[in-house]
Amino acid sequence: MDTHLIQVVLRRCRIILVVLTGILSGCALTAAQKAAVSQFSDSAAALGDITSSELIAMRDGTVKMTMERLLLGGKSKDKELGNQATLDRGFELKRVEAVSGAARALAAYGKSLGALVNDTQSADLKAASNEFIASLGRVPAATEHINDQQLGAIGTVIQDVGGFWIEWKRKQAVETIVAKSQRAVEHLCDLLIRDFSPGNDKGGNKGGWITLQLQVVEDPLTAVATNSLYDGRTYNDRKVALDAFLLAHNSRMRREEVLKRITSGAAAMKKANNALVQAVADSTWSFQDIQDFAQQARSLQAAVKTIITE
């Protein structure tokens, strides 16, 4: 083949490649969009993981508080306590698994988005996506807000990420996930807001079931621990009473500080997710709601860290 012809063909190929690269870069997520998605994903993962682990800690604490109350005060005559031999006191395994599953689904949602914008290896990206889809399937209330076709679209768009078109496909995948999951994510947030609501005495709102169950165990334990402390004559007597006080104190801190941060975080995530849908489609969209959500997630992390290290 003529050398001149080869050079002309190569030059045209380079021009075409430059043009295609320019077109594709315009179709990719901007640096600001990537930062917003990354910030949202980190916050969602933190909210979901912390909420799940804290719920389990609340159940464990409830079992310990119930045991301490029975040890210190014996069986109470208060009929409002119901079956006092039930140690988990409202935190039944099936109930906890359902709420924990909702929290883990939100965490998996965040991690799948994070994997998309952080140049994660293909295998890890698909694993994060599969976990999100599986997590949604484990929450019956969530499956009412996302159909099999939408779940299939999420899985398909993740499988297609790769090759020369990778940046364009990443943006397409992010857009698909946030759009197809929007209603299901909103509902998961609503479930956390309902169940973790700390209540408002002025407004007549007694709070969600978690608030009520914690308080119904804390108050009797505090009462019997007080009596045991006053009646205690030895160091060991007082130590047992104070250990019971500590259990009630830690539970009260979770009820008063952690629950409200989970509720605020879930409300902020719901708002931020709606903003994310707009932000990935329009790079000029405000990221303020996403930044507010990140602040709520950091507040929750700080509160939990303080309680654990007390």
Coordinates of all heavy atoms in Angstrom, one line a residue, residues 184-263:
A184 N -38.2 3.1 45.5 CA -37.8 2.1 46.5 C -37.0 2.7 47.6 O -37.2 2.5 48.8 CB -37.1 1.0 45.8
V185 N -36.0 3.6 47.2 CA -35.1 4.2 48.1 C -35.9 5.2 49.0 O -35.7 5.2 50.3 CB -34.0 5.0 47.4 CG1 -33.2 5.9 48.4 CG2 -33.0 4.0 46.8
E186 N -36.8 5.9 48.4 CA -37.7 6.8 49.2 C -38.5 6.0 50.3 O -38.6 6.5 51.4 CB -38.6 7.6 48.3 CG -38.0 8.7 47.5 CD -39.1 9.4 46.7 OE1 -40.2 9.0 46.7 OE2 -38.7 10.4 46.0
H187 N -39.0 4.9 49.9 CA -39.8 4.1 50.8 C -38.9 3.5 51.9 O -39.3 3.5 53.1 CB -40.5 2.9 50.1 CG -41.4 2.2 50.9 ND1 -42.6 2.7 51.4 CD2 -41.4 0.9 51.3 CE1 -43.2 1.8 52.1 NE2 -42.5 0.7 52.1
L188 N -37.7 3.1 51.6 CA -36.8 2.6 52.6 C -36.5 3.7 53.6 O -36.4 3.4 54.9 CB -35.5 2.1 52.0 CG -35.6 0.8 51.1 CD1 -34.3 0.5 50.4 CD2 -36.0 -0.4 52.0
C189 N -36.3 4.9 53.2 CA -36.0 6.0 54.1 C -37.2 6.3 54.9 O -37.1 6.5 56.2 CB -35.7 7.3 53.3 SG -34.1 7.3 52.4
D190 N -38.4 6.2 54.4 CA -39.7 6.4 55.1 C -39.8 5.3 56.2 O -40.3 5.6 57.3 CB -40.9 6.3 54.2 CG -41.0 7.6 53.4 OD1 -40.5 8.6 53.8 OD2 -41.7 7.5 52.3
L191 N -39.4 4.1 55.9 CA -39.4 3.0 57.0 C -38.5 3.3 58.1 O -38.9 3.2 59.3 CB -39.0 1.7 56.3 CG -39.9 1.0 55.3 CD1 -39.3 -0.3 54.8 CD2 -41.3 0.7 55.9
L192 N -37.3 3.8 57.9 CA -36.4 4.2 59.0 C -37.0 5.4 59.8 O -36.9 5.4 61.0 CB -35.0 4.5 58.4 CG -34.3 3.4 57.7 CD1 -32.8 3.9 57.5 CD2 -34.3 2.1 58.5
I193 N -37.5 6.4 59.1 CA -38.1 7.5 59.7 C -39.2 7.1 60.7 O -39.3 7.6 61.8 CB -38.6 8.6 58.7 CG1 -37.4 9.2 57.9 CG2 -39.4 9.7 59.4 CD1 -37.8 10.0 56.7
R194 N -40.1 6.2 60.2 CA -41.2 5.7 61.0 C -40.7 4.9 62.2 O -41.2 5.2 63.3 CB -42.1 4.8 60.1 CG -43.3 4.2 60.8 CD -43.9 3.1 60.1 NE -43.0 1.9 60.0 CZ -43.2 0.8 59.3 NH1 -44.2 0.8 58.4 NH2 -42.4 -0.2 59.3
D195 N -39.8 4.0 62.0 CA -39.4 3.0 63.1 C -38.5 3.7 64.1 O -38.5 3.3 65.3 CB -38.8 1.8 62.5 CG -39.8 0.9 61.8 OD1 -41.0 1.1 61.9 OD2 -39.4 0.0 61.0
F196 N -37.6 4.6 63.7 CA -36.6 5.2 64.5 C -37.1 6.5 65.1 O -36.3 7.2 65.8 CB -35.3 5.3 63.8 CG -34.6 4.0 63.6 CD1 -34.8 3.3 62.5 CD2 -33.7 3.6 64.6 CE1 -34.1 2.1 62.3 CE2 -33.0 2.4 64.4 CZ -33.2 1.6 63.3
S197 N -38.3 7.0 64.8 CA -38.7 8.3 65.2 C -38.6 8.4 66.8 O -39.1 7.6 67.5 CB -40.2 8.5 64.9 OG -40.7 9.7 65.5
P198 N -37.9 9.5 67.2 CA -37.7 9.6 68.7 C -38.9 10.2 69.4 O -38.9 10.2 70.6 CB -36.5 10.6 68.8 CG -36.6 11.4 67.5 CD -37.1 10.5 66.5
G199 N -39.9 10.6 68.7 CA -41.1 11.2 69.3 C -40.9 12.6 69.6 O -39.9 13.2 69.7
N200 N -42.1 13.2 69.9 CA -42.1 14.6 70.3 C -43.2 14.8 71.3 O -44.4 14.8 70.9 CB -42.3 15.5 69.1 CG -42.3 17.0 69.4 OD1 -42.3 17.4 70.5 ND2 -42.2 17.8 68.3
D201 N -42.9 15.0 72.6 CA -43.9 15.1 73.6 C -44.8 16.3 73.4 O -46.0 16.2 73.6 CB -43.2 15.3 75.0 CG -42.5 14.1 75.4 OD1 -42.9 13.0 74.9 OD2 -41.6 14.1 76.2
K202 N -44.3 17.4 72.9 CA -45.1 18.6 72.6 C -46.1 18.4 71.5 O -47.2 18.9 71.6 CB -44.2 19.8 72.3 CG -43.3 20.2 73.4 CD -42.5 21.4 73.0 CE -41.5 21.9 74.1 NZ -40.7 23.0 73.7
G203 N -45.7 17.6 70.5 CA -46.6 17.3 69.4 C -47.5 16.1 69.6 O -48.3 15.8 68.8
G204 N -47.3 15.4 70.7 CA -48.2 14.2 71.0 C -47.7 13.0 70.3 O -48.3 12.0 70.3
N205 N -46.5 13.1 69.6 CA -45.9 11.9 68.9 C -45.1 11.1 69.9 O -44.1 11.6 70.3 CB -45.1 12.4 67.7 CG -44.4 11.3 67.0 OD1 -44.7 10.1 67.2 ND2 -43.4 11.6 66.2
K206 N -45.5 9.9 70.2 CA -44.8 9.1 71.1 C -43.5 8.4 70.6 O -42.7 7.8 71.3 CB -45.7 8.1 71.7 CG -46.8 8.6 72.6 CD -47.7 7.5 73.1 CE -48.8 8.1 74.0 NZ -49.7 7.1 74.6
G207 N -43.4 8.5 69.2 CA -42.2 8.0 68.6 C -42.5 6.6 68.0 O -43.6 6.0 68.1
G208 N -41.5 6.1 67.3 CA -41.6 4.8 66.7 C -41.5 3.6 67.7 O -41.2 3.9 68.8
W209 N -41.7 2.4 67.2 CA -41.7 1.3 68.1 C -40.3 1.1 68.8 O -40.3 0.6 69.9 CB -42.1 0.0 67.3 CG -41.1 -0.5 66.3 CD1 -41.0 -0.3 65.0 CD2 -40.0 -1.4 66.6 NE1 -39.9 -0.9 64.4 CE2 -39.3 -1.7 65.4 CE3 -39.5 -2.0 67.8 CZ2 -38.2 -2.5 65.3 CZ3 -38.4 -2.9 67.7 CH2 -37.7 -3.1 66.5
I210 N -39.2 1.5 68.2 CA -37.9 1.3 68.8 C -37.8 2.2 70.0 O -37.3 1.8 71.1 CB -36.8 1.6 67.8 CG1 -36.8 0.6 66.6 CG2 -35.4 1.6 68.5 CD1 -35.9 0.9 65.5
T211 N -38.2 3.5 69.9 CA -38.2 4.4 71.0 C -39.1 3.8 72.2 O -38.6 3.8 73.3 CB -38.8 5.7 70.6 OG1 -38.0 6.3 69.6 CG2 -38.9 6.7 71.8
L212 N -40.3 3.4 71.9 CA -41.2 2.9 72.9 C -40.6 1.6 73.6 O -40.7 1.5 74.8 CB -42.5 2.6 72.3 CG -43.3 3.8 71.7 CD1 -44.6 3.4 71.0 CD2 -43.5 4.9 72.7
Q213 N -40.0 0.7 72.8 CA -39.5 -0.5 73.4 C -38.3 -0.3 74.3 O -38.1 -0.9 75.3 CB -39.1 -1.5 72.3 CG -40.3 -2.0 71.5 CD -41.3 -2.8 72.4 OE1 -41.0 -3.4 73.4 NE2 -42.6 -2.8 72.0
L214 N -37.5 0.7 73.9 CA -36.3 1.0 74.7 C -36.7 1.6 76.0 O -36.2 1.2 77.1 CB -35.4 1.9 74.0 CG -34.6 1.4 72.8 CD1 -33.8 2.5 72.1 CD2 -33.6 0.2 73.3
Q215 N -37.7 2.5 76.0 CA -38.1 3.2 77.2 C -38.8 2.3 78.2 O -38.7 2.4 79.4 CB -39.0 4.4 76.8 CG -39.3 5.3 78.0 CD -39.7 6.7 77.6 OE1 -40.1 6.9 76.4 NE2 -39.6 7.6 78.5
V216 N -39.6 1.3 77.6 CA -40.3 0.4 78.5 C -39.4 -0.6 79.2 O -39.8 -1.2 80.2 CB -41.4 -0.4 77.7 CG1 -40.8 -1.6 77.0 CG2 -42.5 -0.8 78.5
V217 N -38.2 -0.7 78.8 CA -37.2 -1.5 79.5 C -36.3 -0.6 80.3 O -35.9 -1.0 81.5 CB -36.3 -2.3 78.4 CG1 -35.2 -3.1 79.1 CG2 -37.2 -3.2 77.6
E218 N -35.9 0.5 79.9 CA -35.0 1.4 80.6 C -35.6 1.9 82.0 O -34.9 1.8 83.0 CB -34.7 2.7 79.8 CG -33.8 2.5 78.6 CD -33.9 3.7 77.7 OE1 -34.3 4.8 78.2 OE2 -33.5 3.6 76.5
D219 N -36.8 2.3 81.9 CA -37.5 2.9 83.1 C -37.5 1.9 84.3 O -37.1 2.3 85.4 CB -38.8 3.5 82.8 CG -38.8 4.7 81.9 OD1 -37.6 5.2 81.8 OD2 -39.8 5.1 81.4
P220 N -38.1 0.7 84.1 CA -38.1 -0.2 85.2 C -36.7 -0.6 85.8 O -36.5 -0.8 87.0 CB -38.8 -1.5 84.7 CG -39.6 -1.0 83.5 CD -38.8 0.1 82.9
L221 N -35.7 -0.7 84.8 CA -34.4 -1.0 85.2 C -33.8 0.1 86.1 O -33.1 -0.2 87.1 CB -33.5 -1.3 84.0 CG -32.0 -1.6 84.4 CD1 -31.8 -2.8 85.2 CD2 -31.2 -1.7 83.1
T222 N -34.0 1.3 85.7 CA -33.5 2.5 86.4 C -34.1 2.5 87.9 O -33.4 2.8 88.8 CB -33.8 3.8 85.7 OG1 -33.2 3.8 84.4 CG2 -33.3 5.0 86.5
A223 N -35.4 2.1 87.9 CA -36.1 2.1 89.2 C -35.5 1.1 90.2 O -35.2 1.4 91.3 CB -37.6 1.9 89.0
V224 N -35.3 -0.2 89.7 CA -34.8 -1.2 90.6 C -33.3 -1.0 90.9 O -32.8 -1.3 92.0 CB -35.0 -2.6 90.0 CG1 -36.5 -2.9 89.8 CG2 -34.3 -2.8 88.6
A225 N -32.6 -0.4 89.9 CA -31.2 -0.1 90.2 C -31.0 1.0 91.3 O -30.1 0.9 92.1 CB -30.5 0.3 88.9
T226 N -31.9 1.9 91.2 CA -31.9 3.0 92.3 C -32.1 2.4 93.7 O -31.4 2.7 94.6 CB -33.0 4.0 92.0 OG1 -32.8 4.6 90.7 CG2 -33.0 5.1 93.0
N227 N -33.1 1.5 93.8 CA -33.4 0.9 95.0 C -32.3 0.0 95.5 O -31.9 0.0 96.7 CB -34.7 0.0 94.9 CG -35.9 0.9 94.7 OD1 -36.0 2.0 95.1 ND2 -37.0 0.3 94.1
S228 N -31.6 -0.7 94.6 CA -30.5 -1.5 94.9 C -29.3 -0.7 95.4 O -28.6 -1.1 96.3 CB -30.1 -2.4 93.7 OG -31.2 -3.3 93.4
L229 N -29.1 0.4 94.8 CA -28.0 1.3 95.1 C -28.2 1.8 96.5 O -27.3 1.9 97.4 CB -27.9 2.5 94.1 CG -26.7 3.4 94.4 CD1 -25.4 2.7 94.3 CD2 -26.7 4.6 93.4
Y230 N -29.4 2.3 96.9 CA -29.7 2.8 98.2 C -29.6 1.7 99.3 O -29.1 1.9 100.4 CB -31.1 3.4 98.2 CG -31.2 4.7 97.5 CD1 -32.4 5.2 97.0 CD2 -30.1 5.5 97.3 CE1 -32.5 6.4 96.3 CE2 -30.2 6.7 96.7 CZ -31.4 7.2 96.2 OH -31.5 8.3 95.5
D231 N -30.0 0.5 98.9 CA -30.0 -0.6 99.9 C -28.7 -1.3 99.9 O -28.4 -2.1 100.9 CB -31.1 -1.6 99.5 CG -32.5 -1.0 99.6 OD1 -32.6 0.0 100.4 OD2 -33.4 -1.6 99.0
G232 N -27.8 -1.1 99.0 CA -26.5 -1.8 98.9 C -25.6 -1.5 100.1 O -25.4 -0.3 100.4
R233 N -25.1 -2.5 100.7 CA -24.2 -2.3 101.9 C -22.8 -2.6 101.6 O -21.9 -2.3 102.4 CB -24.7 -3.3 103.0 CG -26.1 -2.9 103.5 CD -26.5 -3.8 104.6 NE -27.9 -3.5 105.1 CZ -28.1 -2.5 106.0 NH1 -27.1 -1.8 106.5 NH2 -29.3 -2.2 106.4
T234 N -22.5 -3.3 100.5 CA -21.1 -3.6 100.2 C -20.8 -3.1 98.8 O -21.6 -2.6 98.0 CB -20.9 -5.2 100.1 OG1 -21.7 -5.7 99.0 CG2 -21.4 -5.8 101.4
Y235 N -19.5 -3.1 98.5 CA -18.9 -2.6 97.2 C -19.6 -3.4 96.1 O -20.0 -2.8 95.1 CB -17.4 -2.8 97.2 CG -16.8 -2.6 95.8 CD1 -16.5 -1.3 95.4 CD2 -16.6 -3.7 95.0 CE1 -15.9 -1.1 94.1 CE2 -16.0 -3.5 93.7 CZ -15.7 -2.2 93.3 OH -15.2 -2.0 92.1
N236 N -19.7 -4.7 96.2 CA -20.2 -5.6 95.2 C -21.7 -5.2 95.0 O -22.2 -5.3 93.8 CB -20.1 -7.0 95.5 CG -18.6 -7.5 95.3 OD1 -17.9 -6.9 94.5 ND2 -18.2 -8.6 96.0
D237 N -22.5 -5.0 96.1 CA -23.9 -4.6 95.9 C -24.0 -3.4 95.1 O -24.8 -3.3 94.2 CB -24.5 -4.4 97.3 CG -24.6 -5.7 98.1 OD1 -24.6 -6.8 97.5 OD2 -24.8 -5.6 99.3
R238 N -23.2 -2.4 95.4 CA -23.3 -1.1 94.7 C -22.8 -1.2 93.3 O -23.3 -0.6 92.3 CB -22.5 0.0 95.4 CG -23.1 0.4 96.8 CD -22.5 1.6 97.4 NE -21.1 1.3 97.8 CZ -20.8 0.8 99.0 NH1 -21.7 0.5 99.9 NH2 -19.5 0.5 99.3
K239 N -21.8 -2.1 93.1 CA -21.2 -2.2 91.7 C -22.3 -2.9 90.8 O -22.4 -2.4 89.6 CB -20.0 -3.1 91.7 CG -19.3 -3.3 90.4 CD -18.1 -4.1 90.4 CE -17.4 -4.1 89.1 NZ -18.2 -4.5 87.9
V240 N -23.0 -3.8 91.3 CA -24.1 -4.5 90.5 C -25.1 -3.4 90.1 O -25.6 -3.4 89.0 CB -24.7 -5.6 91.3 CG1 -26.0 -6.1 90.6 CG2 -23.7 -6.8 91.4
A241 N -25.5 -2.6 91.1 CA -26.5 -1.6 90.8 C -26.0 -0.5 89.8 O -26.7 -0.1 88.9 CB -26.9 -0.9 92.1
L242 N -24.7 -0.1 89.9 CA -24.1 0.8 89.0 C -24.0 0.3 87.6 O -24.1 1.0 86.6 CB -22.8 1.4 89.5 CG -22.9 2.3 90.7 CD1 -21.6 2.6 91.3 CD2 -23.7 3.6 90.3
D243 N -23.6 -1.0 87.5 CA -23.6 -1.7 86.2 C -24.9 -1.6 85.5 O -25.0 -1.4 84.3 CB -23.1 -3.1 86.3 CG -21.6 -3.2 86.6 OD1 -20.9 -2.2 86.5 OD2 -21.2 -4.3 87.1
A244 N -26.0 -1.8 86.3 CA -27.3 -1.7 85.7 C -27.6 -0.3 85.3 O -28.2 -0.1 84.2 CB -28.3 -2.2 86.8
F245 N -27.2 0.7 86.1 CA -27.4 2.1 85.7 C -26.7 2.4 84.4 O -27.2 3.1 83.5 CB -26.8 3.0 86.8 CG -27.8 3.5 87.8 CD1 -27.6 3.2 89.1 CD2 -29.0 4.1 87.4 CE1 -28.5 3.6 90.1 CE2 -29.9 4.6 88.3 CZ -29.7 4.3 89.7
L246 N -25.5 1.8 84.2 CA -24.7 2.1 83.0 C -25.4 1.5 81.8 O -25.5 2.2 80.7 CB -23.3 1.4 83.1 CG -22.4 1.6 81.9 CD1 -22.2 3.1 81.7 CD2 -21.1 0.9 82.1
L247 N -26.0 0.3 81.9 CA -26.8 -0.2 80.8 C -28.0 0.7 80.4 O -28.2 1.0 79.2 CB -27.4 -1.6 81.2 CG -26.4 -2.8 81.2 CD1 -27.0 -4.0 81.8 CD2 -25.9 -3.1 79.8
A248 N -28.7 1.1 81.4 CA -29.8 2.0 81.2 C -29.4 3.4 80.6 O -30.0 3.9 79.7 CB -30.6 2.3 82.5
H249 N -28.2 3.8 81.1 CA -27.7 5.1 80.6 C -27.3 5.0 79.1 O -27.7 5.9 78.3 CB -26.4 5.5 81.4 CG -25.6 6.6 80.8 ND1 -26.0 7.9 80.8 CD2 -24.4 6.5 80.1 CE1 -25.1 8.6 80.2 NE2 -24.1 7.8 79.7
N250 N -26.6 4.0 78.7 CA -26.2 3.8 77.3 C -27.4 3.6 76.4 O -27.4 4.2 75.3 CB -25.3 2.6 77.2 CG -23.9 2.8 77.7 OD1 -23.5 4.0 77.9 ND2 -23.2 1.7 78.0
S251 N -28.4 2.9 76.9 CA -29.6 2.8 76.1 C -30.3 4.1 75.9 O -30.8 4.4 74.9 CB -30.6 1.8 76.8 OG -31.8 1.6 76.1
R252 N -30.4 4.9 77.0 CA -31.0 6.2 77.0 C -30.3 7.1 76.0 O -30.9 7.9 75.2 CB -31.1 6.9 78.3 CG -32.0 8.1 78.3 CD -32.0 8.8 79.7 NE -30.8 9.4 80.1 CZ -29.9 8.9 81.0 NH1 -30.2 7.8 81.6 NH2 -28.8 9.6 81.3
M253 N -29.0 7.1 76.0 CA -28.2 7.9 75.1 C -28.5 7.5 73.6 O -28.6 8.4 72.8 CB -26.7 7.7 75.3 CG -26.2 8.3 76.6 SD -26.3 10.2 76.5 CE -25.0 10.5 75.2
R254 N -28.6 6.2 73.4 CA -29.0 5.8 72.0 C -30.4 6.3 71.7 O -30.6 6.7 70.5 CB -28.9 4.3 71.9 CG -27.5 3.7 71.7 CD -27.5 2.2 71.4 NE -26.3 1.8 70.8 CZ -25.3 1.3 71.4 NH1 -25.4 1.0 72.7 NH2 -24.1 1.0 70.8
R255 N -31.3 6.1 72.6 CA -32.7 6.5 72.4 C -32.8 8.1 72.1 O -33.5 8.5 71.2 CB -33.6 6.1 73.5 CG -35.0 6.5 73.4 CD -35.9 5.9 74.4 NE -35.4 6.1 75.8 CZ -35.7 7.2 76.5 NH1 -36.4 8.2 76.0 NH2 -35.2 7.3 77.7
E256 N -32.1 8.8 72.9 CA -32.2 10.3 72.8 C -31.3 10.9 71.7 O -31.7 12.0 71.2 CB -31.9 10.9 74.2 CG -32.9 10.6 75.3 CD -32.5 11.2 76.6 OE1 -31.4 11.8 76.7 OE2 -33.4 11.1 77.5
E257 N -30.2 10.3 71.4 CA -29.2 11.0 70.5 C -29.1 10.2 69.2 O -29.1 10.9 68.1 CB -27.8 11.1 71.2 CG -27.8 11.9 72.4 CD -28.3 13.3 72.2 OE1 -28.1 13.8 71.1 OE2 -28.8 14.0 73.1
V258 N -29.0 8.9 69.2 CA -28.8 8.2 68.0 C -30.1 8.1 67.1 O -30.0 8.3 65.9 CB -28.3 6.8 68.2 CG1 -28.2 5.9 67.0 CG2 -26.9 6.8 68.9
L259 N -31.2 7.9 67.8 CA -32.4 7.7 67.0 C -32.8 9.0 66.2 O -33.2 8.9 65.1 CB -33.6 7.4 68.0 CG -33.6 6.0 68.6 CD1 -34.9 5.7 69.3 CD2 -33.2 4.9 67.7
K260 N -32.6 10.1 66.9 CA -33.0 11.4 66.1 C -32.0 11.6 65.0 O -32.4 12.2 64.0 CB -33.0 12.6 67.1 CG -31.7 13.0 67.7 CD -31.8 14.2 68.6 CE -30.5 14.6 69.2 NZ -30.7 15.8 70.2
R261 N -30.8 11.2 65.1 CA -29.8 11.4 64.0 C -30.1 10.4 62.9 O -29.9 10.7 61.7 CB -28.4 11.2 64.5 CG -27.9 12.5 65.3 CD -26.6 12.2 66.0 NE -26.0 13.4 66.6 CZ -26.3 13.9 67.7 NH1 -27.2 13.3 68.5 NH2 -25.8 15.0 68.2
I262 N -30.5 9.2 63.2 CA -30.9 8.3 62.2 C -32.1 8.8 61.4 O -32.2 8.8 60.2 CB -31.2 6.9 62.8 CG1 -29.9 6.2 63.2 CG2 -31.9 6.0 61.7 CD1 -30.1 4.9 64.0
T263 N -33.1 9.3 62.2 CA -34.3 9.8 61.5 C -34.0 11.0 60.6 O -34.5 11.1 59.5 CB -35.3 10.2 62.6 OG1 -35.6 9.1 63.4 CG2 -36.6 10.7 62.0

